[in-house]
Amino acid sequence: MAERLLFLTGHLAHARLERVLADLGQTSFSHEIVDIGVKVAALMTEEIIVRRLKQPVAADRVVLPGRFKGNLERLSGFFGVPFERGPDELADLPAYLGRQGKPVDLSQHEMRIFAEIVDASIMSVDAIVEHASRLSAAGADVIDLGCLPETPFPHLADAVQALKAHGLAVSVDSANIGELETGARAGADYLLSLTEETIGLATGYNAIPVLIPANPGDLESLGRAIDAARAAGISFIADPVLDPVHFGFAASLGRFLEARRRWPEVEMMMGTGNLTELTDADTSGITAVLAGICSELHIRNVLVVHVSPHTVRTVEEHDIARRIMFAARRDHALPRGYDAGLLQAHDRKPYPNSKEDIDALAKAVRDANYRIMTAPDGIHVFNKNGHRVAQDAFELFPGLDVENDGAHAFYLGAELTKAELAWKLGKRYIQDEPLSWGVAAPRPEEDRMRLAKAGHTLRAKKDVP
C-alpha cells in the first residue's frame, strides 16, 4: 500500500505546493494538502495545528514547512502520526521526497584529520592547548606540533603531555631526529616524517610513524621504508608527498596513484597544505577535489595546515568534505546534493522562486509589509501598493516611502544590499535570514522551537495605510 503523506501549508504557498507536487508525476506515495488557515506557512504554531487539524489524521507522515517553529514530538504524540519538517524552500521539496524524506546521513567518515600548529615552537604551552582545542572543535582528530628549522622547542615534551592530558591525539612533525625522539618519549601518537634512514626511531616507541621518500619524488626509497616497517612489525602511514602547482603537482598526483597500485592495503596520508596554502584560490573547491581523490584512492589521513588568512576554515572544510565523499561513495553517487558546506560563493539553486511565482505571490499580498525576493531578473520588492524589480538596490529605495522612518529605512537598506549581493553572486536570498556561506562563516544556532521576533517589515497598525 502506498505511503500517505499530508502536507500542511498556508494560503500563499498552497497553489505553489500543489504545482510542485503535481510536477513530480507518478510517485510511490499518495498525498493530501491541508491549508491550516494562516497566510504564511512558516507562521503556523503548535497551537494552531492542534486546534485546526481534524482528527483522526489519515496519513502515515505529516510534512511541515522547514521553517516551522515548534515541537514535533508533541505533535506526533498528540495526533499519533509522525510529524517532520520538510525543506525550507518548496523548490527543494522534490529532492527531499526523492530521498524518501530522510535527512542525508553525514555522521560517518573514514578520514583522520591531522591539523598542524606550524609555529608551536614559539607558542606557550597554554596557547598551544587553546589553539588545539579550537582545531579539535573544528573537526581535527590529531593535533600536529610543527617544529621550525633552527628554532628551539624546549617545551615540546610539556606541550605533548598537556595535549594528551586534554584527551587529544598528538603528532610531532620535525626533520630533527632529536625533536622526534623527545616527542615520542613524551607520549606522541604519531611521528612525521620518517624515512628509510630514520625509521629505526619508531621501533623503540609506540608512536606510529608517517613515512615519506628519502629524496623528493622517490617512491623506491618510500618502498624501502615500508618494507623496513613491515619487517619490524610496526604500524605506519605512507605519504608520497603532494607538491605545489608548477613545482611537481601533476607528477605528485601520479605518485599517489602509483603508490596505491603498488601497496593496495597500506595506510596513506596526503598533505593538502601545499595546495590550499600555496594557491590564491578559495580553499573549499581545492579541498573538495583533494578529498575526492583521497576517497577514490582510500587515503584515510590528511595533514591540514592553516597559516595563510585565506585558509581560515580549512579544517572545517576538510571535515565536511570527508563526510560528503564518504556518503557519496557509500551511495555509489556523485558528491552532489549532500550538503552545501563547500558551496560558499555560489549556490546550486540560487532562486527558489521564478519570476512567475513571485508575480503570483505579489498579486495575492493584501498588506503594506514589504517582501523582498530574488529571481534571475533581479531583486523584487512588493507589498499591496506595488511590485518593483531592479538589479541595483539603490534604484529601489526612492519608491519605498520610508524617508521619515529611520529604523525601517535602515532595515530595508540592509536587506536590499544583502539581496543585491546574493543576486550578483548567484546565492540564495531569504528575507530576514543571513546569507549562507557554508562552513566559511557558520550560521548562528537557530531555535526551531520558537518564532523569531517581528522585524521592521511589520509596521505598527497606525502606520499602515
Side-chain angles (χ1 to χ4, degrees):
M1 188 173 180
E3 185 181 26
R4 299 167 300 171
L5 301 186
L6 175 64
F7 295 87
L8 301 190
T9 190
H11 300 329
L12 294 180
H14 194 154
R16 175 94 192 281
L17 176 58
E18 284 184 328
R19 187 165 68 254
V20 168
L21 289 171
D23 288 344
L24 292 176
Q26 186 174 359
T27 64
S28 60
F29 58 86
S30 62
H31 71 269
E32 179 185 356
I33 300 173
V34 169
D35 185 335
I36 206 67
V38 296
K39 183 179 293 185
V40 180
L43 296 182
M44 70 176 75
T45 64
E46 287 179 55
E47 291 73 18
I48 288 174
I49 294 172
V50 167
R51 191 167 64 248
R52 298 180 184 176
L53 183 60
K54 295 180 181 179
Q55 295 213 59
V57 175
D60 298 304
R61 281 190 290 152
V62 179
V63 182
L64 299 172
R67 293 189 177 87
F68 169 76
K69 309 288 186 180
N71 191 309
L72 299 178
E73 291 185 4
R74 280 205 295 262
L75 288 172
S76 299
F78 183 82
F79 288 98
V81 176
F83 277 64
E84 62 188 49
R85 289 185 183 87
D88 287 353
E89 302 300 332
L90 281 177
D92 298 324
L93 187 59
Y96 178 86
L97 295 173
R99 292 187 180 275
Q100 289 76 46
K102 295 179 182 178
V104 176
D105 179 12
L106 294 179
S107 64
Q108 297 179 308
H109 65 82
E110 63 175 8
M111 183 181 288
R112 186 185 294 114
I113 295 176
F114 289 68
E116 182 175 2
I117 303 178
V118 175
D119 50 357
S121 58
I122 59 175
M123 297 170 63
S124 69
V125 172
D126 288 344
I128 290 171
V129 170
E130 181 181 351
H131 187 34
S133 297
R134 291 195 298 271
L135 293 173
S136 177
D141 303 292
V142 181
I143 304 304
D144 183 61
L145 297 177
C147 301
L148 299 174
E150 300 181 7
T151 302
F153 199 162
H155 53 299
L156 173 58
D158 292 336
V160 171
Q161 291 166 357
L163 293 173
K164 296 290 292 180
H166 281 78
L168 299 171
V170 184
S171 62
V172 174
D173 190 352
S174 178
N176 184 310
I177 197 72
E179 288 177 332
L180 290 172
E181 190 160 14
T182 296
R185 282 200 306 267
D189 301 279
Y190 301 89
L191 300 177
L192 284 69
S193 300
L194 301 183
T195 68
E196 61 175 325
E197 298 165 355
T198 56
I199 183 64
L201 173 65
T203 60
Y205 300 95
N206 291 325
I208 296 174
V210 176
L211 308 178
I212 63 170
N215 300 301
D218 180 13
L219 279 186
E220 301 305 322
S221 66
L222 179 59
R224 291 190 292 270
I226 289 172
D227 290 341
R230 284 172 166 169
I234 59 175
S235 299
F236 63 92
I237 299 170
D239 181 2
V241 182
L242 189 70
D243 291 324
V245 173
H246 295 151
F247 290 86
F249 169 59
S252 66
L253 284 179
R255 285 199 301 274
F256 277 89
L257 289 166
E258 175 61 16
R260 179 49 76 213
R261 186 191 67 80
R262 291 189 190 185
W263 306 296
E265 305 302 325
V266 163
E267 282 287 332
M268 289 175 61
M269 171 181 280
M270 177 183 286
T272 59
N274 276 345
L275 264 289
T276 56
E277 288 285 331
L278 304 179
T279 309
D280 276 349
D282 291 334
T283 54
S284 58
I286 296 173
T287 298
V289 172
L290 294 180
I293 293 171
C294 288
S295 182
E296 286 199 1
L297 298 180
H298 296 273
I299 297 171
R300 304 195 300 180
N301 303 272
V302 289
L303 176 62
V304 177
V305 183
H306 160 44
V307 177
S308 173
H310 84 287
T311 65
V312 64
R313 296 291 180 187
T314 189
V315 174
E316 291 90 340
E317 289 167 355
H318 281 75
D319 181 42
I320 191 62
R322 64 181 173 176
R323 297 172 189 277
I324 291 171
M325 296 303 168
F326 182 89
R329 196 179 71 201
R330 176 195 61 206
D331 296 343
H332 304 286
L334 296 170
R336 198 165 182 261
Y338 285 89
D339 189 90
L342 298 174
L343 284 169
Q344 297 171 2
H346 314 287
D347 282 325
R348 283 189 59 226
K349 296 180 179 179
Y351 308 114
N353 304 285
S354 67
K355 176 182 179 299
E356 292 72 25
D357 293 329
I358 299 175
D359 287 341
L361 181 59
K363 290 174 183 176
V365 168
R366 297 291 181 266
D367 58 64
N369 299 323
Y370 283 111
R371 277 81 168 176
I372 304 172
M373 305 176 83
T374 59
D377 61 333
I379 309 159
H380 292 245
V381 181
F382 55 92
N383 64 4
K384 71 172 186 177
N385 298 319
H387 178 187
R388 301 181 64 200
V389 185
Q391 297 178 358
D392 183 337
F394 284 98
E395 294 178 16
L396 295 164
F397 191 78
L400 299 178
D401 190 28
V402 290
E403 291 83 355
N404 298 316
D405 185 348
H408 202 185
F410 181 87
Y411 164 80
L412 288 173
E415 282 297 313
L416 289 171
T417 299
K418 188 173 70 178
E420 179 183 334
L421 178 64
W423 181 79
K424 286 180 174 178
L425 287 175
K427 292 193 68 62
R428 181 170 292 193
Y429 167 82
I430 303 296
Q431 189 173 357
D432 293 329
E433 293 191 12
L435 296 181
S436 175
W437 303 102
V439 298
R443 295 166 70 106
E445 288 292 326
E446 184 178 3
D447 188 349
R448 292 280 187 170
M449 302 293 285
R450 295 180 177 83
L451 292 168
K453 292 183 179 179
H456 293 294
T457 47
L458 300 176
R459 291 179 168 181
K461 289 184 179 179
K462 63 182 177 64
D463 295 330
V464 178

